[in-house]
């Protein structure tokens, strides 16, 4: 056991059996899929081939109905339909921002909701997906961190967000049609709700599916996992997922980081930097992104910029620094740094030889910006309470 226990425990798991007794095939690894097919009557000799066929139908062609799996015998299709389903989160609402950003609210088992954001850019499109409902961590600038309700998403619910977006973007290929190389959904960032490294296995399985060449086939270099700094899981991320890494750094002294990113009390800046310095995949072509939210008067001084560079240089970490203008939310205890301050900060970093892009805030008009995600049910509940209070209806 690690001498330091995690700051939080993982939360309830969802049984694979769905209420009506059927098994969802989405989110299973290839091995699990094969196993579940055998358990439910597929002859062992055929299982490998059937796994490959069904896998392709689900992840390459986006098929949800066994009846459409035309290279399988009709009787076998019917047998599959009796036992299994191909189920992904259900879209409850979809909002489209003036700038083209799309925010989806999706319902998952148990009536919980998660938000998924699609950000189109000129040469690519990024889907920001969630790994948990809410988050057990309580970063003081993050809206998700104020949400009480927390549950881990299953692998099906995580990869299901990608499938849902492909549905909406109408991006499943049509059999026989020429392959279109320009993808609307070309990148995934695990930067929605939740701490992905507190739901490691499900995130790994889901991303493995997204990367599988016989399916959604996104390159591992187009997937970025953002963590607040769950140090013991960082090396595993490289080994078992192999994606790019982003770190919610946000402060340059332990004193400030303890407040902004309280997981820092478990694993402080030095421990975090050491884990990053030995991140197996880090190289000049695969730099680690340091995310740094710009909070007026809190972490945005010139000294902070210099300290940030010192940390990175001292540990020789191939890095780029992504400056995020703070996205304010109702009741937030911080203000966004001024544009001049952000530019001055960026300039110090740039002069030191590091890329320091300032993240464009997208989808602000639909509350889709980074760190603003929070379940709408909770918001609705709160506002209903407020309404009741105003009307003098509360007991
Ligand atoms: N839990 C993970 C991933 C989700 S948060 C993590 O913390 O890294 C994705 C990014 O949004 C993180 O860098 C987070 O610090 C940042 N963020 C959270 N709230 C924000 C806000 N209000 N404004 C700007 N960025 C925010
Ligand atoms: Fe959780 Fe990340 Fe928000 Fe912190 S910043 S509360 S880790 S989602």
């Amino acid at each position: 056991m690690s001498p330091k226990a995690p700051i939080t425990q993982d939360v309830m798991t969802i049984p694979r059996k769905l209420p009506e007794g059927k098994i969802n095939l989405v989110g299973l690894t290839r091995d699990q899929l094969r196993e579940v097919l055998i358990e439910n009557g597929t002859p062992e000799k055929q299982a490998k081939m059937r796994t490959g066929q069904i896998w392709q139908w689900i992840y390459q062609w986006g098929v949800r109905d066994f009846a459409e799996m035309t290279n399988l015998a009709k009787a076998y299709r019917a047998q599959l339909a009796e036992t299994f389903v191909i189920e992904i989160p259900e879209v409850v609402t979809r909002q489209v921002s003036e700038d083209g950003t799309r925010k989806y609210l999706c319902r998952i088992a148990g009536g919980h909701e998660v938000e998924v954001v699609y950000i189109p850019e000129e040469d690519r499109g990024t889907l920001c997906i969630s790994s948990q409902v809410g988050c057990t961590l309580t970063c003081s600038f993050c809206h998700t961190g104020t949400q009480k309700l927390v549950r881990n998403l299953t692998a099906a619910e995580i990869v299901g967000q990608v499938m849902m977006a492909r549905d909406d973007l109408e991006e499943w290929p049509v059999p026989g049609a020429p392959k279109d190389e320009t993808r609307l959904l070309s990148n995934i960032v695990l930067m929605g709700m939740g701490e992905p490294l507190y739901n490691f296995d499900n995130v790994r399985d889901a991303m493995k599916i997204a990367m599988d060449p016989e399916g959604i086939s996104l390159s591992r270099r187009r997937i970025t996992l953002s963590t607040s700094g769950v140090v013991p899981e960082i090396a595993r991320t490289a080994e078992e997922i192999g994606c790019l890494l982003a770190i919610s750094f946000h402060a340059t002294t332990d004193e400030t980081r303890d407040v902004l990113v309280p997981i820092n009390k478990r694993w402080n800046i030095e421990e975090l930097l050491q884990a990053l310095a030995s991140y197996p995949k880090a190289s000049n072509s695969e730099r680690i992104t340091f995310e740094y939210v710009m909070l007026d008067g809190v972490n945005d001084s010139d000294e902070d910029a210099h300290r940030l560079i010192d940390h990175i240089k001292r540990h020789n970490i191939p890095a780029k620094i992504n400056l995020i203008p703070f996205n304010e939310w109702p009741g937030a205890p911080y203000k966004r740094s001024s544009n001049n301050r952000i530019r001055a900060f960026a300039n110090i970093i740039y002069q030191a030889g590091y890329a320091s892009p300032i993240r464009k805030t997208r989808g602000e008009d639909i509350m889709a910006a980074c760190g603003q995600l929070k379940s709408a049910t909770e918001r609705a509940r709160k506002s209903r309470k407020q309404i009741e209070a105003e009307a003098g209806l509360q007991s």
Side-chain angles (χ1 to χ4, degrees):
M1 264 212 17
S2 144
K4 286 179 176 181
I7 207 163
T8 178
Q9 303 112 11
D10 274 348
V11 256
M12 68 172 144
T13 35
I14 285 254
R16 211 191 282 161
K17 287 242 180 213
L18 297 170
E20 66 276 31
K22 292 195 177 176
I23 299 167
N24 189 8
L25 295 185
V26 178
L28 304 182
T29 62
R30 275 179 187 269
D31 285 348
Q32 288 168 339
L33 178 57
R34 185 174 168 275
E35 213 174 284
V36 101
L37 289 177
I38 294 170
E39 273 169 21
N40 289 278
T42 300
E44 211 165 332
K45 274 197 300 202
Q46 297 177 10
K48 191 166 179 231
M49 185 171 169
R50 300 287 168 253
T51 301
Q53 289 168 318
I54 295 169
W55 184 278
Q56 281 192 331
W57 282 117
I58 299 178
Y59 298 113
Q60 186 160 342
W61 307 115
V63 162
R64 303 286 148 74
D65 185 348
F66 294 103
E68 288 174 42
M69 302 186 175
T70 45
N71 57 356
L72 303 176
K74 265 207 172 138
Y76 184 59
R77 283 184 246 164
Q79 186 192 328
L80 290 173
E82 260 170 42
T83 325
F84 304 115
V85 287
I86 301 165
E87 206 172 81
I88 64 166
E90 176 198 350
V91 179
V92 182
T93 58
R94 188 187 82 156
Q95 287 169 279
V96 182
S97 161
E98 284 166 357
D99 64 17
T101 303
R102 299 180 185 201
K103 181 169 87 169
Y104 310 93
L105 183 66
C106 295
R107 188 172 296 131
I108 55 169
H112 303 294
E113 284 164 355
V114 286
E115 287 175 336
V116 183
V117 178
Y118 172 73
I119 307 150
E121 283 167 278
E122 230 160 66
D123 52 346
R124 61 180 180 178
T126 303
L127 192 71
C128 177
I129 62 173
S130 297
S131 56
Q132 299 183 308
V133 176
C135 184
T136 50
L137 297 169
T138 51
C139 302
S140 51
F141 57 91
C142 175
H143 202 31
T144 306
T146 65
Q147 184 171 328
K148 294 216 172 55
L149 187 68
V150 181
R151 134 152 130 62
N152 275 336
L153 298 189
T154 61
E157 290 161 347
I158 298 169
V159 73
Q161 296 170 55
V162 181
M163 297 163 75
M164 176 280 295
R166 290 198 103 187
D167 286 355
D168 188 52
L169 297 166
E170 297 182 13
E171 203 173 29
W172 294 104
V174 181
K179 220 176 166 189
D180 183 3
E181 291 300 332
T182 49
R183 286 234 202 155
L184 293 172
L185 199 174
S186 61
N187 293 61
I188 295 177
V189 293
L190 280 146
M191 293 186 186
M193 295 163 70
E195 170 48 61
L197 295 189
Y198 273 150
N199 188 13
F200 189 91
D201 291 358
N202 291 329
V203 166
R204 176 200 54 212
D205 290 350
M207 291 305 101
K208 285 279 186 204
I209 294 171
M211 288 186 262
D212 190 290
E214 278 177 36
I216 301 166
S217 77
L218 282 173
S219 148
R220 61 172 192 85
R221 285 191 212 84
R222 290 183 172 271
I223 299 177
T224 303
L225 182 150
S226 173
T227 177
S228 57
V230 185
V231 165
E233 307 286 7
I234 286 178
R236 274 182 83 198
T237 306
E239 285 152 17
E240 295 182 35
I241 309 177
C243 60
L244 303 186
L245 190 66
I247 298 290
S248 290
F249 207 69
H250 305 322
T252 60
T253 64
D254 281 324
E255 202 189 352
T256 307
R257 197 162 189 273
D258 279 352
V259 176
L260 297 181
V261 190
I263 201 175
N264 195 66
K265 294 186 216 156
R266 283 298 154 183
W267 298 289
N268 63 23
I269 290 181
E270 203 47 40
E271 289 169 283
L272 176 58
L273 289 166
Q274 277 169 18
L276 298 181
S278 52
Y279 191 69
K281 286 241 147 52
S283 67
N284 261 334
S285 66
E286 292 187 25
R287 291 171 294 173
I288 292 175
T289 301
F290 281 64
E291 297 168 278
Y292 199 94
V293 64
M294 298 298 291
L295 303 171
D296 184 32
V298 175
N299 63 355
D300 62 350
S301 67
D302 286 357
E303 292 71 41
D304 279 306
H306 290 295
R307 264 196 302 267
L308 180 58
I309 295 303
D310 285 348
H311 285 319
I312 294 170
K313 283 215 156 128
R314 196 171 62 248
H315 288 273
N316 207 7
I317 300 169
K320 72 167 176 206
I321 293 91
N322 203 336
L323 300 177
I324 316 173
F326 175 54
N327 289 310
E328 295 179 13
W329 36 272
Y334 303 105
K335 293 250 160 305
R336 178 186 293 187
S337 309
S338 71
N339 287 345
N340 281 346
R341 183 85 297 268
I342 298 177
R343 272 196 293 269
F345 197 97
N347 199 36
I348 293 174
I349 294 166
Y350 181 72
Q351 296 297 333
Y354 294 88
S356 54
I358 300 168
R359 190 178 290 173
K360 268 196 257 147
T361 47
R362 302 282 304 259
E364 272 186 300
D365 53 332
I366 53 170
M367 284 278 286
C370 209
Q372 290 185 329
L373 304 186
K374 183 168 169 175
S375 142
T377 27
E378 205 196 334
R379 271 200 297 273
R381 210 178 295 134
K382 266 196 187 149
S383 53
R384 228 182 355 257
K385 249 193 211 158
Q386 280 161 3
I387 293 162
E388 281 167 2
E390 278 162 26
L393 295 173
Q394 258 183 343
S395 52

